Amino acid sequence: MNEKKEALRIEILKYIEKHSRVDLGELAVLLGAEEADVANEMAEMEKEKIICGYHTLIDWDKTGVETVTALIEVRVTPQRDRGFDRIAERLYNYPEVYAVYLISGSYDLLVTMEGKTLKEVSRFVSEKLSPLDGVLSTATHFILKKYKDHGTVMVTKKESERISVTL
């Protein structure tokens, strides 16, 4: 791949990572490229699975929809010739699981999931996750408040409640 094409790809990826809703014409102007070149590169990167999807970040707390987000550390026994892949695949196929990461440290996998209640999350851990062959232990952490998510600040600063005094 030539350097110019690679540089265009990197710029497209950097921009759409932060702004998934983008007008191709606007992006082309920002990057100093032709709209057709940007569209072609994006289509090619989607086909190559470099661009894996487009997501919208929503502050569900402001919608009235009650959800519980959990981060679950999982310690597993790696399998011969497959390492952690087989158990990770079983985990990411559960519809309530949003992400599975292989991590360093005292645990092997980090699972992110959402449920409607704490009880629903605990039921998932006790009935689906913990009984899996190869799972040695888990530690579940619940998200209490999101301050920043995917690079976006989720809290708004409150205006000062002090009354201004003028003379």
Side-chain angles (χ1 to χ4, degrees):
M1 185 180 315
N2 69 42
E3 286 184 39
K4 185 177 179 182
K5 184 174 179 173
E6 191 169 329
L8 177 61
R9 281 185 164 206
I10 297 300
E11 289 304 311
I12 290 170
L13 292 171
K14 284 180 180 178
Y15 190 84
I16 66 172
E17 185 174 38
K18 290 283 184 193
H19 314 280
S20 65
R21 284 185 59 186
V22 63
D23 176 83
L24 290 180
E26 182 181 321
L27 180 56
V29 170
L30 286 170
L31 301 178
E34 294 296 321
E35 185 173 344
D37 292 339
V38 171
N40 290 338
E41 285 306 315
M42 287 182 66
E44 200 172 307
M45 289 188 287
E46 288 168 359
K47 184 178 174 186
E48 294 172 21
K49 297 295 184 194
I50 294 169
I51 297 174
C52 301
Y54 297 91
H55 305 278
T56 301
L57 184 59
I58 298 168
D59 188 345
W60 288 104
D61 290 341
K62 293 181 180 175
T63 67
V65 174
E66 295 290 326
T67 60
V68 176
T69 304
L71 304 175
I72 307 164
E73 298 171 320
V74 184
R75 191 172 325 142
V76 301
T77 303
Q79 297 179 332
R80 182 175 300 179
D81 299 328
R82 298 280 323 265
F84 301 99
D85 295 345
R86 185 173 162 273
I87 196 149
E89 182 179 359
R90 291 198 60 193
L91 293 172
Y92 69 62
N93 281 314
Y94 285 113
E96 54 268 70
V97 170
Y98 283 117
V100 178
Y101 304 101
L102 179 63
I103 59 173
S104 62
S106 55
Y107 285 86
D108 303 304
L109 299 171
L110 180 65
V111 176
T112 304
M113 69 160 294
E114 272 193 11
K116 292 180 181 152
T117 63
L118 293 173
K119 190 172 187 171
E120 186 177 301
V121 172
S122 66
R123 192 176 307 119
F124 172 83
V125 173
S126 65
E127 295 176 6
K128 293 181 179 178
L129 179 59
S130 294
L132 288 176
D133 286 338
V135 172
L136 301 173
S137 64
T138 65
T140 304
H141 307 275
F142 293 99
I143 303 291
L144 303 177
K145 182 176 184 176
K146 290 182 183 179
Y147 292 98
K148 189 174 185 177
D149 194 2
H150 291 83
T152 301
V153 175
M154 302 296 286
V155 293
T156 54
K157 292 182 180 179
K158 291 183 179 177
E159 292 291 323
S160 176
E161 293 180 17
R162 296 173 72 181
I163 299 172
S164 61
V165 178
T166 57
L167 297 174

